[in-house]
Amino acid sequence: MSQLLSAIEKAETIAIGGHVRPDGDCVGSCMGLFGYLADHYPEKKVCVYLEEIPEAFDYLKIDEAMSEKADKYDLFIALDCGSIDRLGEAQEIFEKAVDTVCVDHHISNTNFAKENIVKANASSTCEILCELLPMDKIGTFSAIAFYTGIIHDTGVFKHSNTSKKTMETAGYLVEKGIPFGKIIDESFYMKTYRQLQIMGRCLLESIRVMDGRCIVSVVTKQMMDFYGAKSSDLDGIIDELRTTQGVEVAVLLTEKEPLEFKVSMRSNQIVDVSKIAVFFGGGGHVRAAGCTIKGSSYDVINNLTEHIEKQLNQGK
Ligand code: 5GP
Ligand code: MN
């Protein structure tokens, strides 16, 4: 039995939490595990702590999963979360819990739980959960949720984190009869008109530096207000930047406060963007990472490109 399952068996009250600004893997892993617990341990009291779930994942929303909150839990399971502060408001609940387990695949994970099941080679937290839970007991809802996480973190099986195991795991989930094509189209590729417009604007205003090996775009608060966009509306933009011919690193800056930017970075083959993100107090994976940096957009770009250039020169 996995450490995760033995911790679950011992607990009567369980909280599940993911990272702030939840993405497909975060929502998929939290809701998929909730579904599994509801199927097999109906006597346990389970509550999910997540920030607002983006509309693209409406099919994974279960209101009851988030409604019955307790003050203190026997067990807190942190999913897809690399550090304690990334739990957001749920950090307080985590700190009060008697037992804590973290299941994650961020190379920058700080091992903040009592039990840390961290596999940096796994494509997604959902892939790890499929290994920790008995596959034959995963129901349709959980299979849909886990499949969602895998396709989102692998960019539909094209990022370098996709392995034979990823494909096999996805294969098992597909075998359960889930509507995989619909999940991919509706949660990954479909864009609202608003998303399309802001993406167009970002691409139009992008700039290339280092002979086109690095591409940068900046989303100001004013732009977000103009389009009425939320941060989840920016999903997918960084990938369009990354797949520009000649680009090794794509950077998207989103203004959070005056002189404060959320940084998203993606690389193709050479640069370890996780290293750069960790340097600036953030984290992530070798090919996808993020952090928050204070300063003007010019300063932030200058600071980042210095690190990118250093790695590019080393990789020559
Ligand atoms: P994104 O660019 O999509 O926001 O994030 C890319 C990856 O880096 C994700 O796996 C995300 O969890 C991680 N990440 C993004 N921002 C931060 C941050 O500020 N701190 C940490 N620790 N990880 C981050
Ligand atoms: Mn993930």
Side-chain angles (χ1 to χ4, degrees):
M1 187 188 287
S2 65
Q3 291 153 317
L4 174 68
L5 273 182
S6 54
I8 287 169
E9 301 241 318
K10 278 186 266 170
E12 276 175 28
T13 56
I14 302 172
I16 300 172
H19 62 74
V20 289
R21 291 188 298 276
D23 58 9
D25 188 31
C26 179
V27 176
S29 55
C30 289
M31 298 312 296
L33 181 60
F34 176 84
Y36 182 88
L37 297 180
D39 286 347
H40 301 290
Y41 302 95
E43 72 287 359
K44 295 190 195 289
K45 190 173 152 52
V46 185
C47 188
V48 176
Y49 287 81
L50 270 182
E51 284 184 357
E52 193 188 346
I53 295 179
E55 261 167 61
F57 310 118
D58 268 355
Y59 60 96
L60 297 178
K61 275 185 197 162
I62 302 177
D63 288 339
E64 305 87 80
M66 298 175 183
S67 54
E68 272 193 63
K69 295 195 163 87
D71 241 17
K72 192 177 160 156
Y73 293 87
D74 297 334
L75 172 65
F76 191 111
I77 305 171
L79 298 175
D80 200 37
C81 192
S83 55
I84 193 163
D85 55 300
R86 298 266 296 157
L87 283 170
E89 287 181 6
Q91 182 178 341
E92 201 183 315
I93 310 288
F94 178 94
E95 281 164 349
K96 279 200 244 166
V98 180
D99 194 13
T100 56
V101 177
C102 174
V103 180
D104 184 34
H105 68 129
H106 289 93
I107 195 165
S108 57
N109 190 290
T110 57
N111 292 328
F112 60 93
K114 284 193 186 131
E115 194 72 62
N116 298 283
I117 307 169
V118 180
K119 300 185 184 219
N121 286 332
S123 68
S124 51
T125 302
C126 285
E127 182 183 316
I128 307 173
L129 284 178
C130 288
E131 196 184 325
L132 300 176
L133 303 173
M135 193 55 109
D136 56 323
K137 288 173 85 181
I138 293 175
T140 309
F141 174 81
S142 297
I144 289 172
F146 293 150
Y147 192 81
T148 300
I150 293 174
I151 59 156
H152 276 261
D153 266 18
T154 59
V156 192
F157 309 114
K158 72 177 154 57
H159 296 159
S160 58
N161 57 359
T162 308
S163 67
K164 180 178 173 203
K165 185 158 199 183
T166 312
M167 303 305 271
E168 283 172 353
T169 307
Y172 277 119
L173 298 172
V174 164
E175 215 172 31
K176 289 182 184 279
I178 59 169
F180 56 89
K182 192 169 151 59
I183 299 171
I184 294 173
D185 270 345
E186 293 184 8
S187 76
F188 193 85
Y189 287 111
M190 198 155 72
K191 300 259 171 283
T192 60
Y193 189 59
R194 184 201 312 273
Q195 287 173 318
L196 215 61
Q197 283 190 309
I198 197 157
M199 178 184 282
R201 175 95 180 254
C202 284
L203 302 184
L204 190 71
E205 293 183 358
S206 63
I207 51 164
R208 290 187 300 169
V209 289
M210 295 172 207
D211 293 330
R213 296 180 84 189
C214 178
I215 190 163
V216 184
S217 198
V218 182
V219 185
T220 61
K221 244 186 158 171
Q222 200 185 8
M223 273 162 77
M224 293 295 276
D225 291 345
F226 180 79
Y227 294 105
K230 291 186 286 212
S231 57
S232 59
D233 289 327
L234 305 177
D235 287 356
I237 296 177
I238 186 93
D239 221 40
E240 290 298 322
L241 295 170
R242 180 187 65 84
T243 49
T244 309
Q245 194 175 41
V247 163
E248 164 59 18
V249 181
V251 179
L252 183 69
L253 303 188
T254 313
E255 186 185 33
K256 289 288 150 208
E257 300 294 333
L259 299 177
E260 184 177 319
F261 292 87
K262 153 91 178 83
V263 177
S264 275
M265 288 181 283
R266 300 290 183 272
S267 66
N268 279 318
Q269 272 162 12
I270 303 164
V271 175
D272 180 345
V273 286
S274 164
K275 250 192 204 165
I276 303 172
V278 168
F279 181 87
F280 289 105
H285 313 284
V286 176
R287 301 274 169 257
C291 54
T292 297
I293 305 183
K294 290 193 170 154
S296 71
S297 59
Y298 301 102
D299 289 341
V300 174
I301 293 169
N302 276 336
N303 283 330
L304 290 169
T305 49
E306 196 182 304
H307 285 256
I308 295 167
E309 196 156 31
K310 214 186 277 170
Q311 284 200 37
L312 278 176
N313 289 336
Q314 277 166 2
K316 260 184 191 166

